[in-house]
Amino acid sequence: MIAVITGDIINSENSNSEIWLDSLKKILMNWGKTPEKWEVYRGDEFQIKCDIDEVFKIFLAIKSLIKCNESLDVRMAIGIGEENFSSEKITESNGSAYVNSGRLLNDIKSDGKTLAIKTPKDSVDQDLNIVFKWSSIDFDSWTPAVAEIIHIFIMNSGITQEDIAKKLNITQSSVSQRLKRANLDLITETDKYFRKKIAEL
């Protein structure tokens, strides 16, 4: 099984794409080459194929990157399933992972959600989507300052608060306060719970 994230940038029509597009493409390069592994299309939509154990980290990385811009947010649908055909372009590949992700994005657009998951197992979907509803209350309310610090933390494994403080030229106590506002402990617990539930598939 593989994971596919299909997403779109919220409020992109009211912002200059130069603000976020290059940054989004740059971060997606961390997980493979375009257009086989990921692609940005229709101006503000994107899709990325990844390993199941990486998908929650990738979601957090993209979410925190986009939330660094005060006027923007991002909606993402995670599909987990099979890949029946792998094309040179991800948008031409197919299988249940792609179908689950693409259809789910349309559903959450109408529901006003920003994150949901569809797997081959309904009980896993039910449990994870309840967790995502609660977690998204925090994720969606990240300020640019909090999003920036979460993004650095996610993208730099093993980085210390002191390292982040030097990088941002702020005090270590400011880093600690921002991480607390971002509910870093909740993010870590959610990641562990996500991995536990996915292991049931």
Side-chain angles (χ1 to χ4, degrees):
M1 285 192 294
I2 64 162
V4 173
I5 298 175
T6 307
D8 68 337
I9 307 300
I10 299 171
N11 206 31
S12 62
E13 66 278 6
N14 297 320
S15 68
N16 187 337
S17 63
E18 291 179 5
I19 294 173
W20 57 268
L21 185 56
D22 288 343
S23 298
L24 177 62
K25 288 180 176 179
K26 186 176 180 181
I27 193 176
L28 292 176
M29 287 178 192
N30 284 284
W31 295 285
K33 295 180 180 178
T34 187
E36 181 186 355
K37 290 285 189 179
W38 62 269
E39 197 168 357
V40 179
Y41 55 96
R42 293 180 188 165
D44 65 353
E45 296 188 11
F46 60 91
Q47 192 168 62
I48 178 169
K49 172 175 69 172
C50 58
D51 294 334
I52 295 172
D53 60 353
E54 284 190 303
V55 69
F56 192 68
K57 175 186 176 180
I58 293 173
F59 155 75
L60 288 170
I62 296 171
K63 180 77 171 183
S64 57
L65 174 74
I66 298 301
K67 289 291 287 181
C68 285
N69 302 284
E70 194 165 4
S71 61
L72 297 175
D73 203 343
V74 60
R75 182 169 27 230
M76 283 179 271
I78 299 172
I80 292 179
E82 301 301 329
E83 180 180 55
N84 298 333
F85 172 70
S86 177
S87 171
E88 291 180 359
K89 294 184 68 176
I90 186 175
T91 50
E92 294 175 358
S93 297
N94 63 48
S96 59
Y98 297 93
V99 172
N100 287 343
S101 182
R103 288 181 179 170
L104 185 58
L105 183 65
N106 291 330
D107 292 344
I108 65 175
K109 278 182 183 179
S110 357
D111 293 343
K113 298 174 188 171
T114 57
L115 175 63
I117 189 168
K118 173 67 178 163
T119 76
K121 197 168 181 178
D122 289 343
S123 60
V124 170
D125 295 350
Q126 185 175 21
D127 291 348
L128 285 177
N129 281 316
I130 288 172
V131 170
F132 285 169
K133 280 181 185 178
W134 284 105
S135 300
S136 290
I137 294 172
D138 279 327
F139 301 155
D140 294 347
S141 64
W142 284 345
T143 64
V146 168
E148 180 184 38
I149 217 155
I150 287 294
H151 188 72
I152 292 170
F153 189 84
I154 294 296
M155 294 304 296
N156 298 274
S157 179
I159 195 169
T160 66
Q161 290 190 15
E162 290 78 11
D163 293 334
I164 296 175
K166 287 176 185 175
K167 191 177 181 73
L168 297 179
N169 197 27
I170 58 177
T171 64
Q172 187 271 330
S173 62
S174 295
V175 172
S176 178
Q177 288 168 8
R178 290 186 194 181
L179 288 172
K180 190 176 288 185
R181 285 200 300 273
N183 282 325
L184 183 62
D185 290 343
L186 174 63
I187 292 171
T188 303
E189 287 175 21
T190 303
D191 180 43
K192 287 178 183 175
Y193 183 74
F194 178 85
R195 291 171 185 273
K196 178 183 174 184
K197 295 303 294 183
I198 291 301
E200 296 177 12
L201 297 175

